[in-house]
Amino acid sequence: VYKAWPTILFTVLLFRLESQARNPENTPVPCRMEMTGSEHCPVCAMIPAQHADTAASIETAGDRTAFFCGNGCMIRAYLESDKYLAIPRSDIRKICVRNYFTGEVIDGTTAFFAGGSDVIGPMGPAFVAFATEAEREAFERRHPARFRFRLDELTLESWRSMTARPATAGKD
């Protein structure tokens, strides 16, 4: 047993160094949005793969991933996860959205959103996401937005005022 310790310690350190080299800031690795084409948005029932450039996803505890046609549906599911995902919000592990400018998948919990502009998504006026506030400001110079927010700032009441539709209505 004692003879194996150096090998075990070396293996653990090597693994730690290798993973640190791949992710030097030790930040959460963004989730992928690999869809099969058979998924349906839990909010509107559209097929997110048909809207891959605007698709978003939520990964939940238990490694389940829900895909959405756009950020608006994802935000609605985030705000009412018990209704649309059948889980409490605390079971949401990752939220992934696409950066409007680059198309890259970014962390929705740190993204800067803009809504109420002239940009249209699959469900109408789009809520677009950006990795930085500077990107959002650049977007707004071309597409003035009425709403600016981050996910942790949203409430059902603010959602109602942005979308003019009740977030807790029985049937959509």
Side-chain angles (χ1 to χ4, degrees), residues 4 12 34 44 59 61 77 93 96 98 136-137 149 157:
V12 169
E34 297 168 354
C44 71
E59 290 183 22
R93 297 290 177 249
C96 296
R98 291 202 182 272
R136 180 172 64 189
E137 290 169 357
F149 60 92
E157 292 74 29

Side-chain angles (χ1 to χ4, degrees), residues 38-81:
S38 64
E39 301 91 352
H40 289 269
C41 176
V43 176
C44 71
M46 284 186 173
I47 299 173
Q50 293 176 353
H51 306 282
D53 56 336
T54 61
S57 68
I58 292 179
E59 290 183 22
T60 66
D63 295 327
R64 191 176 124 223
T65 301
F67 295 98
F68 304 88
C69 64
N71 294 332
C73 284
M74 179 279 296
I75 292 167
R76 191 167 178 133
Y78 167 77
L79 290 172
E80 296 186 276
S81 61

Side-chain angles (χ1 to χ4, degrees), residues 4-172:
W5 274 106
T7 303
I8 293 169
L9 184 59
F10 177 75
T11 304
V12 169
L13 286 173
L14 184 62
F15 177 76
R16 181 83 173 135
L17 288 172
E18 182 182 332
S19 65
Q20 193 71 10
R22 278 186 269 141
N23 189 4
E25 285 101 35
N26 209 18
T27 56
V29 177
C31 53
R32 292 183 223 129
M33 289 205 275
E34 297 168 354
M35 298 168 272
T36 65
S38 64
E39 301 91 352
H40 289 269
C41 176
V43 176
C44 71
M46 284 186 173
I47 299 173
Q50 293 176 353
H51 306 282
D53 56 336
T54 61
S57 68
I58 292 179
E59 290 183 22
T60 66
D63 295 327
R64 191 176 124 223
T65 301
F67 295 98
F68 304 88
C69 64
N71 294 332
C73 284
M74 179 279 296
I75 292 167
R76 191 167 178 133
Y78 167 77
L79 290 172
E80 296 186 276
S81 61
D82 55 333
K83 178 179 178 180
Y84 292 106
L85 303 173
I87 61 163
R89 193 180 302 170
S90 60
D91 281 357
I92 293 174
R93 297 290 177 249
K94 289 182 186 178
I95 299 174
C96 296
V97 296
R98 291 202 182 272
N99 183 316
Y100 178 80
F101 285 133
T102 66
E104 288 180 301
V105 177
I106 59 174
D107 182 347
T109 63
T110 61
F112 295 84
F113 289 89
S117 72
D118 60 348
V119 174
I120 304 297
M123 293 292 292
F127 291 92
V128 293
F130 307 93
T132 66
E133 194 164 15
E135 287 179 333
R136 180 172 64 189
E137 290 169 357
F139 168 83
E140 288 193 72
R141 285 193 288 278
R142 290 180 263 168
H143 309 277
R146 293 186 7 229
F147 312 109
R148 292 149 210 84
F149 60 92
R150 297 183 83 174
L151 281 182
D152 64 351
E153 300 167 349
L154 281 180
T155 64
L156 288 174
E157 292 74 29
S158 60
W159 176 257
R160 286 187 190 111
S161 69
M162 284 186 243
T163 62
R165 61 181 121 137
T168 56
K171 197 169 187 183
D172 297 299

